[in-house]
Amino acid sequence: MTTDKQNTSTIRDFTQGGIFRQLIKLAMPLMAVSFIQMAYNMVDIIWIGRLGSKSVAAVGTVGMLMWMMNSFALLSKVSAEVSIGQSIGAKRMDKAMLYASHTTTIAIIMGLVFAIFFFIFPQLTISFFRLEIDITLEAVNYLKIISFGVPFMFLILNFSGIYIGTGRSDTPFYFNAIGLVLNIVLDPLFIFGFGFIPKMGSQGAALATTLSQLVVLILFVRHLRKKNGILSQFSFWVKLRKSYTLNILKLGVPVAAMNVYFSIINMNLTRIASIHGGHLGVTSQTTGGQIEGITWNTSTGFATALGSFVAQNFAAGKMNRARHAYRYTLIAMMVLGLAVTASFMLFGSEIFSVFIPEKAAYIAGGDYLFIIGISQIFMMLELTTQGMFNGVGKTTPPAIVSIAFNTLRIPLAIFLALSMGVNGVWWAITITSIIKGVCSAVWYYFLQRKYK
């Protein structure tokens, strides 16, 4: 067996030491990165909300498309996290470098394909949501600009996965924080205009986001290209080897497929919400979904940290440490879930009004948060368990659970909306979230019994 001990000082070993302390140390930057990514959209919505609920609906529909795109990007990101983490746990730095090169090459290819498609066919893509003509036109113009930043987003997520796989989740946090600050500064300047900068409305928000993402990508590349950079300056572009590519697909496709399908389901739910609730239905779901990111991104951050932690310990034959990490993570998520549920159910309209001051919009949004709030604990249970599955390389079970019950949302939403209006769509989401959380935990309980 060949080994490579170069740059081991940049790698974190999770196979020994305090479990909870290591989880927190790894998860906090990941959560911060998730919140930063959420804050990009939040900042946009806060400023665009001043333009009116129709502009929020236009940007929100493009946000759904970006969600789908980011789901495809998980193929390279999650593969990098798991394959590099397991390679490090097995003391195979040479393999870790090759996996980093392969996931980066795949990310470049996918990013360019999506960018070209969104730029050439924006009208075709946006027409799916059946929006009003003026909202559709605004969404099309927004998508054309944001498409230039799509390759940046793919590479940023991939590089983040590489750093996470090596245990260095703090670096993506720093770089994304810089991008957020820049976006906060540029948003009002480009949206409302200032001095020689013309007023661009929602298109200004797209330009601000694209420029901010470009800066973040440049920071990643510069850091990776340093002489003593992480994983010894691995190549960004390589000829794909069959064995490495197949393993990347094996690890990444189930997770990506699950999330892509999830995003497609939500795009269909947005379409149903548009039919039964007009642009206020779209605004409630898209903006409410961003607010719900409080629990989603926290859970995702901990789940990603758990996956990286478990990957190393699983490869090192220390499954008991992995089980303890899972229990610690669940306890932390349940406490937070209860707090968020109470906030959404008691103060939903007040929370929503911070983003969109129109009365009709924040009343409708309050209904959304109240209903969705019921399922927050179960959503966090599902995501945490998914992190455990990912860490042991079993990415298929959570994909099956997610795909099966997300599919159920469409007919259930259509059925409930006929009698309850747009709120029936929100109840469909909540009911299926509860089922997914329970099924994921039960499946893992039976799976883990075969690991010593």
Side-chain angles (χ1 to χ4, degrees):
M1 176 183 297
T2 60
T3 60
D4 185 348
K5 297 184 179 180
Q6 287 181 311
N7 297 321
T8 53
S9 62
T10 65
I11 307 301
R12 289 179 180 167
D13 184 2
F14 298 132
T15 60
Q16 54 189 344
I19 297 174
F20 189 68
R21 178 183 58 80
Q22 290 179 331
L23 277 174
I24 292 293
K25 190 172 183 180
L26 180 59
M28 291 305 289
L30 291 172
M31 286 191 297
V33 170
S34 295
F35 277 110
I36 286 172
Q37 292 170 342
M38 179 182 73
Y40 272 98
N41 297 322
M42 287 289 198
V43 170
D44 286 350
I45 290 172
I46 289 174
W47 288 115
I48 293 171
R50 275 58 192 169
L51 299 176
S53 57
K54 288 190 173 183
S55 292
V56 174
V59 174
T61 54
V62 176
M64 285 287 176
L65 295 174
M66 293 301 103
W67 182 3
M68 179 186 69
M69 180 212 72
N70 284 328
S71 298
F72 275 99
L74 289 176
L75 190 155
S76 61
K77 180 179 182 292
V78 172
S79 296
E81 293 170 5
V82 178
S83 62
I84 292 173
Q86 290 184 346
S87 296
I88 292 171
K91 311 301 181 185
R92 291 296 304 270
M93 295 300 298
D94 54 332
K95 293 182 67 175
M97 291 174 61
L98 283 171
Y99 275 119
S101 295
H102 278 66
T103 60
T104 302
T105 301
I106 291 171
I108 292 172
I109 294 171
M110 291 194 300
L112 290 174
V113 169
F114 272 95
I116 293 170
F117 179 81
F118 284 147
F119 184 78
I120 296 177
F121 305 108
Q123 183 75 38
L124 175 65
T125 309
I126 297 298
S127 64
F128 170 82
F129 295 99
R130 296 179 62 179
L131 301 168
E132 299 164 34
I133 295 176
D134 54 339
I135 299 177
T136 297
L137 179 60
E138 186 171 355
V140 165
N141 291 331
Y142 184 92
L143 180 58
K144 283 184 177 179
I145 295 175
I146 209 74
S147 65
F148 286 97
V150 166
F152 309 154
M153 298 176 191
F154 267 86
L155 283 170
I156 288 170
L157 285 171
N158 175 72
F159 290 148
S160 296
I162 291 171
Y163 278 94
I164 292 166
T166 61
R168 300 309 305 254
S169 58
D170 51 341
T171 302
F173 162 68
Y174 296 134
F175 294 162
N176 281 282
I178 292 172
L180 174 61
V181 172
L182 181 60
N183 191 60
I184 291 174
V185 172
L186 295 180
D187 249 347
L189 295 180
F190 291 164
I191 293 173
F192 302 106
F194 182 80
F196 65 90
I197 301 175
K199 179 180 179 180
M200 290 181 276
S202 59
Q203 295 179 63
L207 180 59
T209 298
T210 299
L211 292 176
S212 300
Q213 293 286 292
L214 175 59
V215 170
V216 174
L217 177 60
I218 291 172
L219 291 173
F220 268 114
V221 172
R222 288 188 61 187
H223 194 265
L224 288 167
R225 292 293 88 185
K226 287 183 178 179
K227 184 176 181 180
N228 295 320
I230 200 165
L231 297 180
S232 302
Q233 292 185 321
F234 65 90
S235 300
F236 288 175
W237 183 267
V238 295
K239 181 179 180 180
L240 299 178
R241 298 186 188 179
K242 182 178 180 180
S243 60
Y244 285 87
T245 303
L246 288 177
N247 195 44
I248 287 171
L249 294 177
K250 178 183 175 182
L251 292 170
V253 167
V255 178
M258 174 181 62
N259 285 275
V260 167
Y261 192 68
F262 189 30
S263 67
I264 292 174
I265 292 295
N266 276 276
M267 287 168 61
N268 279 275
L269 291 174
T270 302
R271 188 171 186 237
I272 298 171
S274 176
I275 294 171
H276 290 275
H279 75 274
L280 289 179
V282 176
T283 299
S284 295
Q285 185 184 0
T286 55
T287 303
Q290 293 298 324
I291 298 172
E292 190 189 5
I294 294 170
T295 46
W296 176 272
N297 288 319
T298 302
S299 298
T300 300
F302 263 99
T304 303
L306 180 64
S308 182
F309 183 95
V310 171
Q312 287 195 21
N313 283 279
F314 178 71
K318 297 183 177 182
M319 195 59 192
N320 280 336
R321 284 177 59 83
R323 291 191 181 96
H324 283 301
Y326 177 62
R327 286 194 287 269
Y328 289 146
T329 305
L330 275 182
I331 292 171
M333 293 301 94
M334 293 303 102
V335 172
L336 177 64
L338 285 172
V340 173
T341 291
S343 299
F344 283 2
M345 297 183 72
L346 295 175
F347 309 107
S349 295
E350 290 80 0
I351 295 172
F352 211 92
S353 66
V354 173
F355 300 91
I356 307 177
E358 291 180 25
K359 185 175 182 179
Y362 67 70
I363 289 177
D367 290 340
Y368 174 91
L369 291 180
F370 180 89
I371 297 170
I372 293 297
I374 298 171
S375 64
Q376 294 305 290
I377 291 176
F378 297 93
M379 181 265 286
M380 300 178 91
L381 174 61
E382 179 197 1
L383 291 176
T384 301
T385 307
Q386 179 184 327
M388 191 69 185
F389 276 118
N390 290 347
V392 297
K394 299 292 184 180
T395 56
T396 301
I400 293 174
V401 171
S402 180
I403 290 172
F405 293 106
N406 284 333
T407 300
L408 179 62
R409 286 183 173 178
I410 299 300
L412 187 59
I414 294 173
F415 173 75
L416 294 177
L418 292 176
S419 58
M420 304 173 64
V422 72
N423 283 347
V425 181
W426 317 149
W427 277 111
I429 295 173
T430 287
I431 292 170
T432 51
S433 290
I434 293 172
I435 297 173
K436 287 194 298 177
V438 173
C439 288
S440 295
V442 171
W443 195 331
Y444 166 69
Y445 171 77
F446 286 105
L447 175 71
Q448 61 87 32
R449 294 169 66 182
K450 74 176 185 178
Y451 295 123
K452 294 182 179 181

